Amino acid sequence: MTGPLYVGFDLGGTQLKFGLIDGRGALAFKDKAPSPASIEGLMGLIGDVWKKLRAEYGPRLASAGFGFAGFFSLKDRKVLHSPNYPSLDGFDLVPALERVLDAPFRIDNDANMAAYGEWKHGAGRGAHSLVLLTIGTGVGSGIVLDGKLWQGRCGFAGEIGHITVNPGPTGSLCNCGNYGCLETEVSAPKIVRNYVDMVGSGGELTAEDIYNLARQGDACALESFANCGYYLGIGLGIVINLLNPGSILLGGGVMAGGEFLMDAAVEQARKRSHRVSFACATIARASLGNDAGLIGAAAWARDQASRPAS
Ligand SMILES: [Zn+2]
């Protein structure tokens, strides 16, 4: 293989995933390492990864993209807050990356990067407008509108996970301080909580256990998923009414049990959105899985490299 290669980093609370794509989005290489606890350790790891890739691929390495969970201010060019990686809070990431990467790079929210990846190289290819929801321990989301990643004025757009979908007394406390966010009502922990609330025990179970029970026809397990589907559908209805997207993609670990929540989700989305807008939207599974973030970060940096720094 020849031609330029583009590096993507996807920083999570437990792992730093990284990989290389080519101009068509094909993954040439990927790997991961435990996320170091300290920021010095993280920068050292990124520097080591970069050096190794540079040694192997030389001048073919053209750019790097870096996605992380949290808020990167486009105005201040600083990390404001990273819930999964608090040592990044307030950190001057741009000069730190400049010291270890000898190529143009871009930084953005990991869910935005995943949405961009699905749009450029995944299930959303060719979509005019796309919304990706990644449902796991929380809900990450990114928006592509009119063929453009929608970052918002300061870079904080697309936080669909923090739309209130359950304002009532059963809405759970979110780490944003609000209650009943989409992220708290549609997540792996909520599936477990729903089940525990119904049967009065089972707090030691995982969402995967509940999924297996649902496959065996356990009524409470099925209801645990359907309850999450109900709130997901409320969120989707809001998204459809607001944005009129052509493509809504759902990914993340919880979607492994998608067959048990999709019916309720689609039913609510249909009920709560205008029928013409609902008819315009395709709701489907995302296709890049855990690689969406790093593929998207690499593609974003690749596609932005000729533009002024942001
Ligand atoms: Zn929230």
Side-chain angles (χ1 to χ4, degrees):
M1 201 167 72
T2 56
L5 293 167
Y6 310 91
V7 183
F9 291 97
D10 183 12
L11 176 66
T14 57
Q15 288 181 332
L16 176 72
K17 297 186 210 118
F18 45 92
L20 278 173
I21 64 167
D22 65 14
R24 299 159 67 92
L27 255 181
F29 159 85
K30 70 168 177 174
D31 203 351
K32 59 191 175 187
S35 301
S38 72
I39 199 73
E40 295 79 13
L42 175 65
M43 288 302 133
L45 174 60
I46 291 171
D48 287 346
V49 168
W50 181 262
K51 264 188 227 155
K52 276 185 198 153
L53 292 173
R54 183 61 95 194
E56 188 164 353
Y57 296 97
R60 291 178 68 197
L61 287 195
S63 62
F66 184 87
F68 71 99
F71 296 99
F72 180 73
S73 169
L74 294 178
K75 283 166 95 175
D76 304 330
R77 304 188 74 211
K78 273 191 181 177
V79 177
L80 296 189
H81 177 53
S82 177
N84 299 338
Y85 207 86
S87 46
L88 271 180
D89 287 6
F91 183 64
D92 234 346
L93 187 56
V94 174
L97 285 177
E98 275 169 352
R99 285 193 285 275
V100 295
L101 303 177
D102 60 350
F105 63 88
R106 288 291 186 277
I107 303 165
D108 210 300
N109 172 274
D110 58 351
N112 286 356
M113 295 296 87
Y116 192 77
E118 291 284 352
W119 180 61
K120 287 298 281 193
H121 300 302
R125 230 172 319 178
H128 166 275
S129 296
L130 169 151
V131 174
L132 171 71
L133 295 179
T134 305
I135 307 168
T137 49
V139 174
S141 64
I143 300 169
V144 174
L145 280 187
D146 293 345
K148 180 179 183 300
L149 178 70
W150 197 258
Q151 295 174 290
R153 173 68 185 92
C154 300
F156 312 142
E159 292 294 330
I160 296 168
H162 298 287
I163 286 176
T164 302
V165 293
N166 182 7
T170 59
S172 302
L173 176 63
C174 182
N175 65 21
C176 74
N178 188 21
Y179 286 85
C181 292
L182 182 68
E183 166 160 312
T184 64
E185 306 308 292
V186 185
S187 63
K190 187 70 176 193
I191 288 166
V192 175
R193 201 169 320 129
N194 287 342
Y195 186 80
V196 171
D197 287 348
M198 273 181 279
V199 304
S201 64
E204 73 287 357
L205 297 176
T206 64
E208 195 177 345
D209 295 328
I210 313 287
Y211 170 67
N212 288 327
L213 287 166
R215 289 183 66 187
Q216 293 159 24
D218 182 294
C220 292
L222 288 166
E223 180 57 28
S224 300
F225 275 92
N227 178 274
C228 284
Y230 171 84
Y231 289 111
L232 174 59
I234 293 176
L236 294 181
I238 293 168
V239 166
I240 291 168
N241 279 334
L242 181 68
L243 300 175
N244 182 209
S247 171
I248 295 176
L249 296 178
L250 304 174
V254 166
M255 287 312 294
E259 71 259 43
F260 300 123
L261 54 79
M262 278 301 275
D263 285 353
V266 172
E267 183 191 343
Q268 285 306 311
R270 182 186 290 117
K271 263 189 196 166
R272 293 168 188 275
S273 58
H274 199 284
R275 63 182 179 280
V276 293
S277 195
F278 180 82
C280 193
T282 314
I283 302 173
R285 305 278 187 99
S287 67
L288 298 181
N290 289 332
D291 298 333
L294 71 90
I295 290 175
W300 175 247
R302 176 195 68 198
D303 298 346
Q304 295 290 306
S306 58
R307 294 168 168 232
S310 62

